[in-house]
Structures are given as structure tokens and as C-alpha cells.
Amino acid sequence: MVSPAAPVLALTSGEPAGIGPELVLKLAAEGVAGTRPVAVGDQGLLAERAAALGLAVELVELAPGEAVPAARPGRLPVWPVALRAPVRPGVLEVANADYVLETLDVAIHACRAGQAAGMVTAPLHKGVILDAGHGGFTGHTEYLRDACGVEEVVMMLATDSALHAERPDWSGSAALRVALATTHLPLREVADAITRERLMRVLRILAADLTRWFGVASPHIAVCGLNPHAGEGGHLGREELEVIEPTLEALRGEGLTLDGPLPADTLFTPRHLAGVDAVLAMYHDQGLPVLKYAGFGRAANITLGLPLVRTSVDHGTALDLAGTGRADPGSLRVAVALAAQMAARGVSLSGGAPGAG
């Protein structure tokens, strides 16, 4: 249940040449119960895309500090950010990289200033941002970490059937929560990044935020090994023996309930997941292919460890679908529902009501 005030959520419209703008428009056309979404993006772009797709959406530009109206199908409030260059669906334009980053900055500021209870991000295109000269950019997750001034954040994806329950029903293969020890790194850099310090931070954040945002009183986390067969006793790599196992043992001493390190090829089965609240994978493509096979288009990406609520879609910009009207807003709908749920839990924990005005 969301708060009676229906929390304001800032929806960044993502890469303007991709499907993000139309996903936001489709969601607005259908309506979203229990929350007040505000698009962050270029109002002209949104109007043009709505007209091209035949979507009857009234765009309402809001001035800074202006109250967000009650949500209704077919109306979309907008916090405007100006494009830097014209847009054609499916065609990237380097000049608009700064536009994409500005939409994130506006949403982050709104959350931190109490004007929004959370932010939901449509997909961006990392390549075009890097091509524009933002050499340190590796994705939403890391950008939010740096913008909020925190040392560590954790990327976790969850399918819709696992989002609204304290403990997923692992007997159904579609219920998964998967967090990542490392995110957007080349594979050859992953082993060096799996350090005791990083794992300590990531697992503490994961356990704390499973309680904070999902109501899991005593989280039970299964941890993947890094190497095949979790290192096979040191014959297939020593990271498990020298780093992962000692770290898990130390955290068990702090009271965390941790299984592992376990071979990733057999961990994702009902027998091993029984009673487990989340899985920690060591790297991006170890855990996310399993989750996306189970629930692609029905999952959300959550950034844990932030001082604000942030969720996102489980897919990319889909440049080939942009402007065709075939893009499915299902994952965005899940991400919005989850952000509203998290915002409501945050209000109940703090006793305040950020983003309710």
C-alpha cells in the first residue's frame, strides 16, 4: 500500500532516441494507480512522440515548486529539460548526452529536496554518453552513487512476483531477487574487484536494505562463487578460499545469514533457493541472465544503499523499436509500482512524507 497522499515519482525519460519517452507516455495514457508520476524530459519531444504514436496524453508543464496534481489516465505532468539537438527515433545524437545527464540531476535534486519520494529511470545509452566525453560514466547505478556521495551502492534486480512479498516463493521459477557484487566492469577486471572490503560493504547493504525496503526481518542470502564449481577447492581458482569464504565467515559473526560460496550453475534451483531472500552474484552476467530469462519485461532494477528511492527498467534503449509503438511498458510499470511501495515503506519508517506535496 502506498501512502494516502500518493507519492510523487520523478520519471526520467532516458535516451531520447530510444524507447524511454514512449514508455513514459504509454504509462501515462494507461494511468498509474496510487502514485503521481512526473516526467523529466523535453516536453516538445514528448508531444511529438505522443502525436506520432497516436497517444492521447495531455502534457502539463510544472514550474519549480509547483504542486503536482492528482494522477489520472491521459495526463502527464512534466519537469522540463531542454534537448540539446533534434531527435530522430533510433538515431543517436552525441549532443544530447548532457541532456540525459541533466534529467538525472533534476530527478536526484527533486528527491533530495523532498519534492519527490523517489525516481524511476527509463533506459539510457552508455555509449553515446562516453562518446560525448564523459569518460568515467559506467551507468545509472554508479552515477547515482557519486551524485549522492555514498561509498558503495548495490544493484539488485527482482521479478514482479518477488517484489511485493517479504520472502519470494522459490517454488515458482519466476520469483527471483539477484544482487551484484560488481556491476559494469570488463570481465578481466572482475576478479581483482572481488575484495574482502567490497564484499563486506555489499553484503551489509544488501541485508540492511532487504529489511528497510522489503520488510525482511532476518535476510537469508545465498552467495555465488566466482569461479566454476566455486573454485573446486582451489583447483579452479583461489578467490573462494582466500577472499569469499573468510569474508562470509566474518559477516556470519556479525549475525548475517549467508550460504556459500556456492556454484552458480546449480545455485539457481528451487532446492538451493528454498528459504532464501536474495542471491548475490559476483558479476553482471553471472546472475542477470538467469533473472531475465525468468522474468524479462516483468522485473525492476533497484539501487540499494542510496539515501533515496531509485528503481529502473530491466532492459535497454531498444533503438530498433523506437518510434514504432511496439515497445512494452511492462517493466516500467513494475518499476513504478515498486518505487511507490518503497516510498510508502520509507514514510512509515521515518514518520515523514517526502514527495507527498
Side-chain angles (χ1 to χ4, degrees):
M1 292 290 291
V2 298
S3 69
V8 173
L9 297 177
L11 272 61
T12 62
S13 50
E15 165 55 48
I19 60 173
E22 57 203 78
L23 294 181
V24 171
L25 288 163
K26 284 186 175 183
L27 201 68
E30 297 169 3
V32 183
T35 185
R36 287 176 288 166
V38 181
V40 184
D42 188 280
Q43 186 166 335
L45 167 67
L46 293 169
E48 182 179 291
R49 198 69 59 88
L53 298 176
L55 296 173
V57 178
E58 175 194 2
L59 301 173
V60 181
E61 181 176 334
L62 298 181
E66 185 176 353
V68 178
R72 65 170 172 78
R75 179 168 64 188
L76 180 61
V78 179
W79 283 328
V81 176
L83 283 168
R84 306 303 198 263
V87 172
R88 283 193 295 153
V91 181
L92 295 171
E93 170 53 67
V94 170
N96 281 322
D98 286 338
Y99 158 80
V100 174
L101 295 180
E102 187 180 351
T103 65
L104 294 180
D105 293 340
V106 168
I108 292 166
H109 173 76
C111 291
R112 304 205 74 181
Q115 298 163 353
M119 60 185 287
V120 182
T121 58
L124 52 71
H125 194 284
K126 297 182 187 69
V128 77
I129 294 174
L130 291 168
D131 289 344
H134 299 280
F137 186 84
T138 55
H140 276 118
T141 303
E142 298 80 10
Y143 190 84
L144 284 158
R145 176 198 64 200
D146 295 344
C148 292
V150 296
E151 183 179 12
E152 190 77 70
V153 292
V154 177
M155 178 188 292
M156 184 175 81
L157 273 76
T159 58
D160 58 351
S161 53
L163 291 174
H164 303 291
E166 291 186 3
R167 173 155 290 164
D169 176 9
W170 296 105
S171 63
S173 62
L176 284 172
R177 291 187 189 125
V178 178
L180 302 178
T182 63
T183 53
H184 301 115
L185 286 179
L187 192 55
R188 68 173 57 250
E189 297 179 16
V190 169
D192 289 342
I194 302 297
T195 64
R196 174 185 175 93
E197 292 74 22
R198 178 191 288 269
L199 289 178
M200 295 279 273
R201 293 194 302 265
V202 165
L203 281 163
R204 286 168 177 155
I205 290 170
L206 177 56
D209 277 9
L210 284 170
T211 300
R212 179 187 184 192
W213 298 123
F214 292 88
V216 182
S218 299
H220 183 175
I221 300 166
V223 180
C224 295
L226 173 65
N227 297 296
H229 301 181
E232 196 77 73
H235 296 290
L236 295 177
R238 299 194 58 82
E239 287 82 4
E240 286 78 11
L241 294 177
E242 295 176 359
V243 179
I244 302 175
E245 287 182 11
T247 303
L248 299 189
E249 191 59 32
L251 288 170
R252 291 184 189 112
E254 297 181 6
L256 273 65
T257 302
L258 305 168
D259 294 342
L262 299 169
D265 63 341
T266 54
L267 190 161
F268 291 98
T269 58
R271 181 171 71 87
H272 289 292
L273 292 173
V276 167
D277 298 299
V279 173
L280 180 69
M282 290 295 110
Y283 57 94
H284 189 282
D285 283 13
Q286 183 183 58
L288 297 194
V290 180
L291 182 135
K292 292 189 178 185
Y293 178 78
F296 188 68
R298 295 177 289 104
N301 181 345
I302 308 106
T303 306
L304 306 178
L306 292 173
L308 53 85
V309 171
R310 183 264 172 162
T311 66
S312 189
V313 294
D314 66 356
H315 56 76
T317 55
L319 295 172
D320 57 322
L321 292 180
T324 67
R326 301 200 308 271
D328 183 353
S331 180
L332 184 62
R333 181 173 292 280
V334 172
V336 167
L338 174 61
Q341 173 190 320
M342 292 171 67
R345 184 174 290 278
V347 167
S348 69
L349 290 173
S350 68

